[in-house]
Amino acid sequence: MKISHYLFSALLLFSGQVSAQCLTRGTGDMGIVIERADGSVQVVDRRAHKALFRIEGLGDLSHASAVYSPDERYAYVFGRDGGLTRLDILCGTITHRIVQGGNSIGGAISQDGNLIAVSNYEPGGVKIFSASDLSLVADIPATPVNSEKRAKTVGLVDAPGQRFVFSLYDTGETWIVDMSDPTKPQIHKYEHIGQQPYDGLITKDGRYYIAGLFGQDGLALLDMWHPEQGTRLILEDYGKGEQKLPVYKMPHLEGWAMAGNRAFLPGVGHHQVLVVERGDWKPVGKIPVYGQPVFVMARPDGRQIWVNFAFPNNDTIQVIDTETLQVIKTLKPGKGALHMEFAPRGEEVWISIRDRNEIQVYDTRSLEMTHSLPAASPSGIFFTARAHTTGL
């Protein structure tokens, strides 16, 4: 009896098993969805709005992130339990998996795609692996806090010139690691950047690295074109210290939006989005919003900003027009609207709705939902276009 292609695909998806047959297709319209509660991911076809594979056995994905190889075939998933997993998204399989630390908080891929760096709380430091087989290339321990503990590393990103940048939460530092010669990592350390850096981002052009500070107001900025100038404090009135409301969730800095020459960032402990002029990094406006923002994300053309919110307002998404600085739409997709991912050219956005066990897809022109896909407690959504963007 002949089994239809669609039935065959469904059998693969729900069994979690994949045959020896791999897909023969381009990867440019593919991606993965993290299913945080089950330790699994779905490989999805973005344009067809459907799942292709479900891959299990990835460990603790409660704070997972992912990067892609330059050819977009392999996804590297960073789990909270220290797991680093390499997925073949055309075959729906795990090719390599290691547990490289005790408590991991994200990672990055080098400019040439040959190295994978992982940031660790336990043991504090960064480990760098070969992208082809996950063999260890470099182990970079963080500054000791005491005889038994090293500083937590946070805000790890890739930077041009085969460099990685990260910050040290407990000791208030930012480090640049130059991996031009993988056998001899060159480390440049910047001390006293501010109290308790908790996250970081790098602008898409790779010029500015910015660390958020948990222990004081302000942000620490490092100009990667002129690292010899060291870090400086910007937005000294911005942060946790001057907040007027309980902070339910510290916003992710990688969720900042850059649109033209302006940055849009979540107000910590406030129901507002701050508008900041790039260059002098001074605020030029504040936009009232529905709750405390977590991710403030720009549509790829920069015309819209999409914002989601911390508990108890995490059932809402708001859309801001970057020209008028006004909220133009308030959406109610459901509780646990955690993560958003735009199609590379911005015609649609995918949103994970954790408490409804689904992904919702919205047309960014009509601002209407067009599709939904089932997913088990979904969180992060990562499309393969990230392979070609610095800092993602």
Side-chain angles (χ1 to χ4, degrees):
M1 182 177 68
K2 186 177 180 180
I3 300 177
S4 74
H5 170 76
Y6 299 103
L7 178 57
F8 180 63
S9 298
L11 288 171
L12 292 180
L13 176 62
F14 291 110
S15 69
Q17 303 296 318
V18 178
S19 76
Q21 285 187 317
C22 297
L23 300 175
T24 54
R25 55 169 289 169
T27 54
D29 55 358
M30 294 175 67
I32 64 171
V33 174
I34 303 294
E35 296 183 314
R36 58 184 292 164
D38 291 0
S40 58
V41 305
Q42 286 191 31
V43 179
V44 297
D45 182 321
R46 176 178 55 78
R47 290 202 300 164
H49 304 102
K50 69 177 184 179
L52 301 171
F53 303 111
R54 187 170 189 264
I55 308 172
E56 301 176 332
L58 279 77
D60 182 355
L61 300 183
S62 59
H63 197 286
S65 60
V67 297
Y68 286 96
S69 59
D71 64 1
E72 304 175 351
R73 178 161 186 172
Y74 300 102
Y76 301 85
V77 180
F78 308 98
R80 190 60 186 261
D81 57 0
L84 170 59
T85 309
R86 182 180 187 258
L87 307 178
D88 184 332
I89 65 170
L90 286 180
C91 298
T93 57
I94 294 173
T95 69
H96 299 78
R97 175 171 166 78
I98 59 173
V99 178
Q100 54 78 47
N103 190 341
S104 183
I105 196 72
I109 188 168
S110 62
Q111 187 176 32
D112 66 1
N114 291 331
L115 301 171
I116 303 293
V118 188
S119 176
N120 289 306
Y121 279 4
E122 297 176 8
V126 167
K127 292 182 180 179
I128 301 175
F129 301 89
S130 166
S132 61
D133 62 5
L134 303 191
S135 59
L136 185 65
V137 174
D139 187 351
I140 302 169
T143 301
V145 176
N146 53 46
S147 60
E148 299 179 353
K149 179 182 176 183
R150 293 187 177 273
K152 301 180 183 73
T153 53
V154 298
L156 172 64
V157 299
D158 60 287
Q162 284 294 98
R163 295 177 295 176
F164 294 107
V165 193
F166 57 91
S167 295
L168 281 63
Y169 175 84
D170 302 280
T171 53
E173 302 173 65
T174 291
W175 291 10
I176 298 175
V177 179
D178 187 331
M179 294 296 293
S180 299
D181 181 352
T183 66
K184 297 178 181 178
Q186 301 295 312
I187 303 173
H188 305 276
K189 302 179 181 181
Y190 303 86
E191 300 178 341
H192 311 298
I193 69 163
Q195 296 177 28
Q196 298 175 321
Y198 73 94
D199 198 6
L201 68 86
I202 193 166
T203 54
K204 288 186 178 181
D205 58 7
R207 176 160 187 181
Y208 296 106
Y209 176 81
I210 301 171
L213 302 175
F214 188 82
Q216 69 178 84
D217 287 344
L219 303 159
L221 180 140
L222 178 62
D223 186 339
M224 297 296 292
W225 288 10
H226 302 286
E228 72 282 356
Q229 296 177 358
T231 64
R232 64 185 176 97
L233 197 64
I234 61 171
L235 297 175
E236 297 182 44
D237 294 328
Y238 169 81
K240 182 174 180 290
E242 61 108 21
Q243 55 87 14
K244 308 302 183 187
L245 299 169
V247 178
Y248 293 105
K249 182 176 177 63
M250 287 296 285
H252 289 272
L253 265 70
E254 68 268 24
W256 273 31
M258 301 296 295
N261 204 42
R262 288 178 168 178
F264 294 77
L265 56 149
V268 179
H270 295 274
H271 292 182
Q272 61 187 214
V273 170
L274 276 64
V275 187
V276 176
E277 200 73 23
R278 175 175 157 152
D280 60 11
W281 299 100
K282 292 184 178 179
V284 295
K286 298 178 181 179
I287 305 169
V289 290
Y290 182 74
Q292 295 180 28
V294 177
F295 286 105
V296 177
M297 300 186 68
R299 197 172 73 180
D301 64 356
R303 184 59 196 274
Q304 293 176 352
I305 302 296
W306 288 58
V307 187
N308 71 347
F309 302 100
F311 177 86
N313 303 125
N314 62 1
D315 63 344
T316 301
I317 301 287
Q318 288 192 308
V319 185
I320 297 169
D321 183 290
T322 57
E323 187 175 44
T324 65
L325 303 183
Q326 299 294 314
V327 173
I328 58 173
K329 186 78 170 182
T330 297
L331 305 169
K332 291 287 187 177
K335 284 286 186 183
L338 298 182
H339 290 263
M340 300 173 285
E341 182 84 340
F342 286 95
R345 296 193 179 198
E347 71 275 13
E348 64 182 25
V349 61
W350 289 39
I351 306 175
S352 61
I353 314 299
R354 181 195 60 203
D355 294 5
R356 294 185 63 169
N357 293 309
E358 69 177 3
I359 301 295
Q360 296 180 5
V361 183
Y362 288 80
D363 182 303
T364 58
R365 188 173 181 178
S366 68
L367 305 181
E368 299 292 335
M369 188 174 76
T370 59
H371 299 84
S372 65
L373 295 79
S377 299
S379 55
I381 305 168
F382 304 94
F383 292 149
T384 54
R386 288 171 169 257
H388 314 295
T389 302
T390 299
L392 291 180

